[in-house]
Amino acid sequence: MPSTSELAKMADATYHQNATSTKADRLDKQNKAVKDTGYNVMPEHTSKDISTFNKDNYYVISHKGTDLSSKKKNVFQDLKNDFNILVGKDSHSAKTKKRTKKTKKIIKNIKKENPEAEIHLTGHSLGATTAYGATQDKYITNN
């Protein structure tokens, strides 16, 4: 089972999903960021806002949080979502719904490949909120 510090490293590594770099560069940076944990990024289950890591029978799906270093449009959208969290309106945001859908698809694919997989969700800042939002889906909670 991943430790709290391993989950934190994977949440941090998800920020290496910079839109200006190539996917290969992003995956390489993520693997370097979590190297000492023994986890590896799973390219087939990783996108610009969600990263999936694996070690043995353990899988971690990490949601990217507010990224002030990304494109201006994305920063504005992230800050808008952060404000909605602050005032209690995030559970129905488009970003939360989109990430819940992606997370559900990742879990279904992992469970199809490995029915005994133990799956954990993590995230930082906005990513913690969208990861939590994903846990409100009964399929995700039951798997």
Side-chain angles (χ1 to χ4, degrees), residues 50 61 63 97-111 121 134 137-140 143:
I50 296 177
I61 301 170
H63 288 222
K97 288 178 183 178
K98 179 180 172 186
R99 289 187 180 181
T100 296
K101 187 176 178 179
K102 281 185 180 182
T103 300
K104 193 173 183 177
K105 183 177 179 181
I106 292 168
I107 291 172
K108 283 182 178 183
N109 288 332
I110 289 171
K111 286 293 192 173
L121 278 83
D137 184 283
K138 288 182 182 180
Y139 177 84
I140 292 171
N143 283 287

Side-chain angles (χ1 to χ4, degrees), residues 19-116:
T20 61
S21 59
T22 66
K23 184 169 184 174
D25 286 341
R26 293 191 307 263
L27 296 172
D28 185 54
K29 287 179 184 177
Q30 287 184 309
N31 274 322
K32 286 179 182 173
V34 299
K35 184 179 181 179
D36 65 329
T37 67
Y39 282 84
N40 292 300
V41 68
M42 299 179 70
E44 68 275 23
H45 298 305
T46 296
S47 64
K48 290 184 180 176
D49 55 355
I50 296 177
S51 298
T52 305
F53 302 88
N54 170 247
K55 178 172 76 172
D56 303 323
N57 203 42
Y58 301 107
Y59 297 80
V60 176
I61 301 170
S62 178
H63 288 222
K64 182 178 178 181
T66 305
D67 187 357
L68 299 177
S69 68
S70 67
K71 296 177 183 176
K72 188 182 272 189
K73 177 184 168 190
N74 295 343
V75 171
F76 176 76
Q77 188 60 48
D78 280 359
L79 292 173
K80 182 179 172 187
N81 284 321
D82 287 341
F83 177 77
N84 285 335
I85 292 166
L86 183 67
V87 296
K89 294 183 178 180
D90 182 70
S91 64
H92 302 293
S93 78
K95 184 169 277 200
T96 299
K97 288 178 183 178
K98 179 180 172 186
R99 289 187 180 181
T100 296
K101 187 176 178 179
K102 281 185 180 182
T103 300
K104 193 173 183 177
K105 183 177 179 181
I106 292 168
I107 291 172
K108 283 182 178 183
N109 288 332
I110 289 171
K111 286 293 192 173
K112 186 177 179 182
E113 297 167 16
N114 181 359
E116 301 302 314

